């Protein structure tokens, strides 16, 4: 066996060496000496470090400090000259020669186009704060959902709080949060509103993010920023591309739960003794257990449930596309497949995605161009029907039996308060399965017609069809005492077996018409005008039903049940009509001006308040194009400024109407009768939220575009925030209406720096960006809004700031306790000491103070990385992180022995005792004492982190080798995603806990993949 392994290893190494040898071999019939000099065509200065390479080989050199080079090349070979900031040149060798190469500057960087609202703009004349992500940069990385690709984008806070396959979608916030409603940005795919996470990442060309008044062209839905996704099109000769990767993933952080049953029981008893309570486990039970572990690990288990229930997951992805273009047409057709197994055991964390993409257009005549795009996604994923698996995991104990000898689910023969019905991870993961099937298609047809007088009419219609089916199974589940065999019903036999289905059918129709006019007057006055109209209609329809009375769990059809359990359903309709326009003017690409205006009418508001108007204006100055500006190292210097108004219609449908709800039964003469009533007051005058955005920026390119620097400062003020306003109970006991009450500001800056260069055959670069955002509530009409997890929103502080007692160390003795304020009858040495803010001798809710730290938005987001390449070998890295945010994990495992749950090992070593007065943690007690029930900053944790988001090593095979096997391009690569995480908080991954008050979440995962990308 050992010899066989060695043979296979030697054979593998021999093949690898052979490939490398063949790829670097250069067969020359006759080498010719080639010399020369490379200079700048505009300045005449010699260029040092220009790469000179024989095309199709790895042979090359570089120019010296005088721009001179020497190389030997066979007759007929092609020399390629390349240098950052200049256009590459290729020269065919026919004889020995001394070449004089004049390099032209590459102005393509400034001529690159960026997708903006209803069009594109040259990067050089762009006046808005727009960030563009080229998806080529993400090639080969294991991106399961498009939103996850935006980590590290300047001005964006991208947070993945759930890594479960099938639902691992990131939350995106652009320049802070400005409303108590929906803060998600508007996402458009090829101009049509659609979820970016219902796309195959491999079908995307680029993503543009509009962050300032550039989003005002979308008016009513641009207040939270706009994300524009552009899908790939066919380019050039017909090509077939196939890409594949496969890998594994594992959890980054897991709680360090106690897995020794004897240590657990003794520590639990010690916690109770510290509260002057009787032990849960007698010494006789502990002794019996310790002896039983030696011979019977079923009745006396020592289970580490995080090791039992979790293992490495699997991921694989295939993508196939064919694409081409000519002067008459272009097309790209693609299919994709993604398969993932999560890290949980059992069938309840699996996901599969199938995608279909089509992008085609044709010039029917010289004036008419038509096109069609289709993005189809079919996906399914599974999860436990009892969807609190991670909560149950946090409650597992080492004394919980996994399975009995005959395979039945076990519990524990030891009585444990709070565990009358044992939460059993294997029972949850294997016993009850929920499946979600989603089929979603976006189909868009478009037409472009060139009219006389330089007018162009564009028509686009998109239909977004979503069909979802949720199937839930709840079979009868039992656990069994491993000592007596007695059964305990985990769920009620009266409601199990039970099966349920929820059917969702949503349809969205989008119709856009625009008319464009572009003209250059007198050679330098560039003018463009666009006017347009949009119609958006959204319909939802869902239905659910469940049945019981099944003979067993073998049949899941609803008509196999005999007892009706529940039915429900709902349908909605929402319409938005818009008119918009934009004017752009620039003089000689030097003085830049843009103005836009949009009018929106929404059915979400009453007839008198449906229309709102959103203007914006932006200006720019290309200083580098001024005659007085002379600089040899500044290639571009552009100043930008903008101001605009944007809107948000994020209010529940029909909120302006007085709704009457069924199910409000009345008693007449002692008989209960069906009834209906208004339960919430409605305000018919509600209207749009309005955000006014200010932005100033500068773009600088230096040293032949080797260095790029962008700096933006901004402020956004959101006024008329739609929120519920409370009413006194005496007013009919009605819930308060949604009203326009509130004002919030977000201000900050963004800095982006890029560098790229080459030294001969070595290409290298680095990038970094940092964003700062200050969130502040300006006006709430004097109200205090209490949020989840001991948070509050009040004037002068960030939204959802922590509202907690202040801690002041630990009590060291009884004398300190007696002299301190009254904070509870159970207070004793080792307990947390709280600050008596009101100086009244009593610790209560009135002593809470606002912490100047948001629970939902970090103050800083940043990313950085580098790349280096040499003759086809490339290494890239990307780091990402956040700072200035706090987390407050509570309940199971965050606190010890919470209602019968376990504890972590730190409570055995780091708690206060008279012998450890400087301990990090207070006296060991159960979570029901005031140490934990009093919410204080003692438990507030630093949520900052820095993560190595991705590191990739790739190799692109040389053309000389690929041409022999008729392959156009072949690249192999290896990735590590989330490889390293640096954080002061170690109990769980900090990103997973942002905006949470517990640790019951699917863990963040590190992923290792290898794959290839081949083009024929």
């Amino acid at each position: 066996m050992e010899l066989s392994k060695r043979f296979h290893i030697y054979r593998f190494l021999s093949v690898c060496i052979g490939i490398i040898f063949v790829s670097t071999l250069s067969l020359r019939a006759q080498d010719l000496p080639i010399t020369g000099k490379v200079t700048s065509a505009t300045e005449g200065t010699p260029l040092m470090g220009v790469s000179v390479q024989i095309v199709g080989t790895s042979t090359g050199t570089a120019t010296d400090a005088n721009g001179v080079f020497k190389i030997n090349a066979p007759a007929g070979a092609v020399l390629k000259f390349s240098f950052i900031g200049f256009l590459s040149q290729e020269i065919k060798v026919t004889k020995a020669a001394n070449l004089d190469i004049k390099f032209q500057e590459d102005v393509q960087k400034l001529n690159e186009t960026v997708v903006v609202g209803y069009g594109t703009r040259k990067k050089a004349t762009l006046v808005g704060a727009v960030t563009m992500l080229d998806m080529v940069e993400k090639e080969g990385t294991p991106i399961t959902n498009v939103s996850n690709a935006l980590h590290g984008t300047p001005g964006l806070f991208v947070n993945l709080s759930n890594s479960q396959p099938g639902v691992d979608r990131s939350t995106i916030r652009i320049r802070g949060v400005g409303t108590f409603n929906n803060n998600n940005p508007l996402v458009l795919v090829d101009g049509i509103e659609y979820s970016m996470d219902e796309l195959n990442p491999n079908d995307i060309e680029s993503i543009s993010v509009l962050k300032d008044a550039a989003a005002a062209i979308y008016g009513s839905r641009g207040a939270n920023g706009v994300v524009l996704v552009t899908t790939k099109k066919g380019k050039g000769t017909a090509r077939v591309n196939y890409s594949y990767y496969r890998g594994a993933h594992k959890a980054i952080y897991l709680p360090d739960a106690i897995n020794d049953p004897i240590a657990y029981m003794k520590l639990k008893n010690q916690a109770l003794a510290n509260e002057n309570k009787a032990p849960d486990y007698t010494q006789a039970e502990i002794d019996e257990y310790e002896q039983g572990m030696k011979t019977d690990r079923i009745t006396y288990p020592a289970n580490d449930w995080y090791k039992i229930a979790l293992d490495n997951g699997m991921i694989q992805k295939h993508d196939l596309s064919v694409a081409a273009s000519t002067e008459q047409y272009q097309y790209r057709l693609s299919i994709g497949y993604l398969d993932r197994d999560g890290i949980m055991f059992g069938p309840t964390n699996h996901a599969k995605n199938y995608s279909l993409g089509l992008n085609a257009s044709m010039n029917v005549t010289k004036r008419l161009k038509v096109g069609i795009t289709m993005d189809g996604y079919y996906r399914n994923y599974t999860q436990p029907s009892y969807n609190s698996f991670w909560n149950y995991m946090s409650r597992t104990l080492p004394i919980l039996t996994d399975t009995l000898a005959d395979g039945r689910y076990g519990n524990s023969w030891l009585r444990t308060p709070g565990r009358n019905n044992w939460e059993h991870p294997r029972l949850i993961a294997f016993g009850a399965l929920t499946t979600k099937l989603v089929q979603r298609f976006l189909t868009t047809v478009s037409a472009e017609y060139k009219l006389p007088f330089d007018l162009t009419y564009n028509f686009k219609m998109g239909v977004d069809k979503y069909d979802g089916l949720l199937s839930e199974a709840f079979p009868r589940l039992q656990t069994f005492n491993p000592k007596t065999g007695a059964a305990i019903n985990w769920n009620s036999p009266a409601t199990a077996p039970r099966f349920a289905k929820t059917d969702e059918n949503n349809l969205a129709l989008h119709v856009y018409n625009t008319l464009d006019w572009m003209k250059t007057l007198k050679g330098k006055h560039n003018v463009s005008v666009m006017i347009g109209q949009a119609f958006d209609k959204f319909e939802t329809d869902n239905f659910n039903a469940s049945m019981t009375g099944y003979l067993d769990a073998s049949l899941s059809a609803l008509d196999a049940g005999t007892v009706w359990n529940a039915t429900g359903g709902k349908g909605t309709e929402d319409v938005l009509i818009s008119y918009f326009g934009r004017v752009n003017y620039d003089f000689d690409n030097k003085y830049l001006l843009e103005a836009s205006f949009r009018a929106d009418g929404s059915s979400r508001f009453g007839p008198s308040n449906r229309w709102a108007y959103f203007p914006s204006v932006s200006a720019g100055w290309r200083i580098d194009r001024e005659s007085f500006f002379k600089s040899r190292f500044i290639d571009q210097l552009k100043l930008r400024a903008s101001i605009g108004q944007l809107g948000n219609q994020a209010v529940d449908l029909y909120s302006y109407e007085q709704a009457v709800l069924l199910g409000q039964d009345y008693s007449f003469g002692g008989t209960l009768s069906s009834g209906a009533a208004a339960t919430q007051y409605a305000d018919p005058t509600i209207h749009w939220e309005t955000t006014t955005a200010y932005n100033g920026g500068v773009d600088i390119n230096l040293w032949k575009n080797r260095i790029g620097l962008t700096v933006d400062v901004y402020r956004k003020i959101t006024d008329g925030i739609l929120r519920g306003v409370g009413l006194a109970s005496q007013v009919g006991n009605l819930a308060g209406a949604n009203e326009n009450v509130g004002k919030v500001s977000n201000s900050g800056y963004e800095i982006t720096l890029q560098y790229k260069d080459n030294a001969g055959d070595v290409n290298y670069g680095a990038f970094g960006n940092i964003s700062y955002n200050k969130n502040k509530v300006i006006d709430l009409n004097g109200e205090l809004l209490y949020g989840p997890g001991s948070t509050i929103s009040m004037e002068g502080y960030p939204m959802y700031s922590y509202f907690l007692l202040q801690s002041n160390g630990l009590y060291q003795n009884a004398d300190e306790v007696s002299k301190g304020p009254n904070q509870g009858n159970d207070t004793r040495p080792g307990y947390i000491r709280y600050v008596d803010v009101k100086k009244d001798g009593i610790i209560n809710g009135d002593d809470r103070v606002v912490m100047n730290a948001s629970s939902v938005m970090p103050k800083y987001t940043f990313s950085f990385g580098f790349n280096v390449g040499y003759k086809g070998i490339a290494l890239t890295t990307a780091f990402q992180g956040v700072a200035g945010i706090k987390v407050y994990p509570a309940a199971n495992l965050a606190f010890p022995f919470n209602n019968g749950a376990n504890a972590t090992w730190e409570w055995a070593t780091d708690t206060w005792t008279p012998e450890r007065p400087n301990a990090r943690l207070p006296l060991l007690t159960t979570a029901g004492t005031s140490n934990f029930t009093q919410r204080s900053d003692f438990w507030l944790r630093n949520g900052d982190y820095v993560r190595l988001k991705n590191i990739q090593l790739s190799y692109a095979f040389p053309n000389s080798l690929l041409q022999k096997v008729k392959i156009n391009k072949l690249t192999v690569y290896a990735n590590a995603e989330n490889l390293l995480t640096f954080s002061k908080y170690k109990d769980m991954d900090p990103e997973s806990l942002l905006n949470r008050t517990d640790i019951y979440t699917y863990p963040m995962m590190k992923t290792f993949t290898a794959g290839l990308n081949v083009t024929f």
Side-chain angles (χ1 to χ4, degrees), residues 524-595:
K524 293 186 177 182
H525 298 273
N526 303 301
V527 183
S528 65
V529 180
M530 182 271 295
I531 57 174
Q533 178 270 338
F535 174 83
D536 301 278
K537 184 177 182 180
F538 306 88
E539 296 178 353
T540 68
D541 186 13
N542 66 75
F543 172 80
N544 62 81
S546 63
M547 295 288 288
T548 62
Y550 290 82
L551 181 64
D552 56 32
S554 60
L555 297 176
S556 61
L558 292 180
D559 61 358
T562 59
V563 179
W564 169 85
N565 185 64
T567 55
K570 183 180 181 181
T572 66
E573 185 174 306
D574 180 18
V575 174
L576 182 72
I577 297 176
S578 309
Y579 301 93
F580 50 88
R582 179 174 59 213
V583 177
N584 288 84
Y585 169 80
D586 76 74
F587 174 74
D588 196 24
N589 290 332
K590 185 189 307 182
Y591 308 117
L592 317 170
L593 183 65
E594 178 178 300

Side-chain angles (χ1 to χ4, degrees), residues 260-277:
D260 182 329
I262 306 303
Y264 157 74
M265 287 188 282
K266 289 181 177 180
L267 200 65
K268 176 66 175 298
N269 285 347
Q270 181 61 55
L272 293 168
N274 289 340
E275 300 176 44
N276 295 326
K277 294 180 179 178

